[in-house]
Amino acid sequence: MFIVLLKQLKESEYILLSKEELEAYCREYYLPVYKYCMSRLSNKEDAEDATQETFVIFCRKRHILEEEHIKSWLYTTAHHMVLREYKKRSL
């Protein structure tokens, strides 16, 4: 999961977040966020995509987030990714 995420990011997109920091956040939050997405989408590929996109956005926005709000921000963003998937499915 971590390697796949890094491949999606350009060097400039995670320069403010070291690989070690990103790995730590992934260890703590990736699986719970994935499980949330999976519980809503019931499709492995869609849940993986939503989780990946959540973490890509996180890497872009981490520098403006306060540490105590990261968990809620991740779940809120994941929820928006789930809603985006629902919208795609309805088209």
Side-chain angles (χ1 to χ4, degrees):
M1 101 190 114
F2 176 68
I3 299 301
V4 173
L5 182 59
L6 283 179
K7 287 179 182 177
Q8 289 187 15
L9 295 168
K10 296 177 185 165
E11 185 71 31
S12 62
E13 290 179 324
Y14 63 93
I15 197 125
L16 297 175
L17 185 65
S18 73
K19 290 179 184 179
E20 292 78 20
E21 289 174 307
L22 177 57
E23 193 171 45
Y25 286 119
C26 284
R27 268 195 311 274
E28 185 168 355
Y29 297 115
Y30 193 93
L31 187 57
V33 169
Y34 170 77
K35 286 180 178 181
Y36 170 79
C37 292
M38 186 64 182
S39 73
R40 301 298 186 261
L41 296 170
S42 302
N43 178 288
K44 182 181 177 193
E45 291 79 22
D46 291 343
E48 288 171 353
D49 289 346
T51 305
Q52 287 286 321
E53 188 61 27
T54 297
F55 277 85
V56 167
I57 295 169
F58 170 72
C59 289
R60 293 178 184 146
K61 305 263 183 180
R62 171 59 188 106
H63 66 283
I64 62 171
L65 299 172
E66 295 179 26
E67 189 69 33
E68 63 268 15
H69 300 296
I70 288 174
K71 183 177 179 179
S72 62
W73 186 92
L74 286 167
Y75 278 97
T76 299
T77 303
H79 179 73
H80 288 286
M81 296 300 104
V82 167
L83 293 177
R84 181 185 291 175
E85 181 58 33
Y86 287 161
K87 187 175 182 179
K88 284 188 338 190
R89 289 178 182 181
S90 69
L91 295 177

